[in-house]
Amino acid sequence: YLKEFNESFDTYLKDITELTNTYITSRFKENFNILFEYRPTSYPLPAEGEELVLNQQVKKPEIIMTVKMLTDKIAEEQKKVIDSPQSFLNEAKLSTIALALRLAILDEKFVAAYPKVLILDDMLMSMDMSNREFVMNIILDNYQDSYQIFFMTHQRGLFEDAKKTIQQHYAKKAKD
């Protein structure tokens, strides 16, 4: 079963990575891609003729994320894979990755027959005003017809920004 799990998960991770990178570059207009290395789970099996030892530790799977810059300003041979994105990218870029990954998983798991609720809890807090509006518009443009969206925050300024963006979105929609 572990072999099937590892193969299925690796395939799923590749699909999610591809969709996440599409979102990062096309929806969020960023100039980088993420890469995932899957280190599979395993269980020590006995050699032929040996007895199976029970209660051995299962090796936990690992997912290692790296980032590759996609810019014409750096020669291709000088572009390096960034092994620790959290040290290289600012909080807004890391939030962009997290959001693109979450939306890719959401789209991959979409089942039309199920009730759809999208709960956003202080998701935009680390972003500046222009990025907040940008992300809110992405969510409204792509998910409002398929999901009931709950936007939660304890920050009054973020609430007001979101409220304004939602009002502008519906005013624009009413004009069209």
Side-chain angles (χ1 to χ4, degrees):
Y1 294 112
L2 281 178
K3 182 179 179 192
E4 289 97 9
F5 171 82
N6 285 326
E7 289 171 358
S8 295
F9 190 80
D10 191 48
T11 300
Y12 178 73
L13 190 59
K14 286 175 183 167
D15 292 343
I16 292 299
T17 303
E18 185 178 328
L19 191 52
T20 300
N21 284 330
T22 299
Y23 291 171
I24 288 171
T25 56
S26 65
R27 286 187 181 175
F28 294 103
K29 310 292 185 223
E30 296 291 351
N31 63 350
F32 60 84
N33 273 338
I34 62 167
L35 307 159
F36 286 122
E37 175 192 347
Y38 176 60
R39 296 181 182 165
T41 186
S42 63
Y43 185 81
L45 295 174
E48 194 173 320
E50 290 182 5
E51 255 186 64
L52 177 64
V53 179
L54 299 178
N55 299 326
Q56 291 195 48
Q57 284 290 99
V58 173
K59 181 182 163 215
K60 295 179 183 176
E62 291 182 83
I63 301 171
I64 310 299
M65 184 179 84
T66 56
V67 171
K68 179 154 185 180
M69 300 306 294
L70 307 173
T71 178
D72 296 337
K73 296 177 183 176
I74 302 172
E76 192 62 39
E77 61 275 358
Q78 292 179 327
K79 291 181 188 176
K80 292 183 180 175
V81 172
I82 300 160
D83 292 326
S84 56
Q86 69 278 11
S87 301
F88 183 77
L89 300 174
N90 64 25
E91 193 173 343
K93 302 278 189 222
L94 293 172
S95 294
T96 297
I97 292 171
L99 183 57
L101 182 59
R102 180 65 192 113
L103 294 176
I105 293 169
L106 188 67
D107 289 351
E108 183 70 23
K109 291 290 185 182
F110 184 83
V111 177
Y114 292 172
K116 287 159 250 8
V117 177
L118 183 57
I119 300 172
L120 309 172
D121 184 13
D122 270 340
M123 177 190 71
L124 307 173
M125 218 158 106
S126 66
M127 297 181 175
D128 60 27
M129 177 99 112
S130 63
N131 283 326
R132 287 178 182 176
E133 185 176 338
F134 181 71
V135 170
M136 283 294 296
N137 282 319
I138 287 173
I139 291 167
L140 292 170
D141 289 341
N142 295 285
Y143 297 97
Q144 77 171 12
D145 294 337
S146 301
Y147 290 87
Q148 182 176 8
I149 300 172
F150 289 91
F151 180 79
M152 296 186 274
T153 184
H154 65 276
Q155 187 185 35
R156 182 71 178 185
L158 180 55
F159 169 79
E160 293 298 333
D161 292 345
K163 182 179 167 185
K164 180 182 169 191
T165 301
I166 292 167
Q167 288 170 337
Q168 289 172 345
H169 179 83
Y170 280 106
K172 181 182 172 197
K173 201 172 181 180
K175 280 185 182 180
D176 297 339

